[in-house]
Amino acid sequence: MITAPSLHPPAARLRLGAQPGQGDAVRRIDGAWWPRSYDLTAELPGLLAALPLRWGHITSVLVNGAMWSLSGDGVPVEDQQVHLRRTGPSRAEDTVCLLTPGQGRWDLLVVPPAATAEEAERLMETATAHTPPAGRPA
C-alpha cells in the first residue's frame, strides 16, 4: 500500500520545564528538544507547532552555526517568516534560542538526534528538573 506524504511535520519530541513562579530563580534552560536531524528547516515547523501559546509567535531562532544545516536566513512557518541566526562554533553549542519580540526569550537544550531513547530521556529529565534556589526547600 502506498501512502501519501504527510503535509504536517512529525510531532516534536519536546519537554518543557515548569514555568518559574514568583520568587523562583530564573531558569537558564526552559526545556529540552530532541530533533530527528540537524536540518533546521525541516525540524523547526514541528518544534514551533508544539510550543505553548503563551510563548507567542517566535520570530527569530538563534542556533550554533557549526551544528545545524541552514538554507538561507529564514524559514516559512505557517503564515510567517522565522529568521534564522547563527552563533559562533563555541557559543550555544547544545541549545537553541527562540525569540518573541516584546514577549520573551526561551532556551532549549538540544538532545543530539542520534541519542538513544534512554539517553534522550535522561537528558530531557535533567534539563527540565526543577532546582530550587539555594537555601530553599524543593
Side-chain angles (χ1 to χ4, degrees):
M1 170 184 223
I2 298 175
T3 59
S6 173
L7 297 177
H8 302 287
R13 300 179 292 189
L14 176 68
R15 181 177 299 167
L16 300 177
Q19 189 173 8
Q22 189 171 355
D24 284 349
V26 176
R27 298 181 69 87
R28 183 182 102 61
I29 294 292
D30 299 293
W33 175 44
W34 184 22
R36 289 169 176 79
S37 73
Y38 282 116
D39 180 352
L40 193 59
T41 304
E43 298 290 338
L44 194 58
L47 171 62
L48 297 184
L51 296 175
L53 291 176
R54 71 179 183 274
W55 286 20
H57 292 288
I58 305 298
T59 60
S60 296
V61 177
L62 182 63
V63 297
N64 179 307
M67 273 177 67
W68 291 93
S69 170
L70 302 177
S71 55
D73 64 350
V75 61
V77 177
E78 294 188 12
D79 295 341
Q80 68 183 36
Q81 185 79 0
V82 177
H83 299 282
L84 306 177
R85 298 186 329 196
R86 298 173 188 254
T87 66
S90 63
R91 297 196 55 195
E93 209 168 288
D94 59 351
T95 62
V96 62
C97 176
L98 309 172
L99 303 167
T100 303
Q103 203 160 349
R105 166 191 172 142
W106 294 271
D107 295 305
L108 301 176
L109 171 78
V110 176
V111 175
T116 66
E118 294 79 21
E119 291 169 328
E121 177 63 29
R122 181 182 52 77
L123 290 168
M124 293 175 92
E125 177 63 32
T126 300
T128 59
H130 175 69
T131 305
R136 290 184 55 191

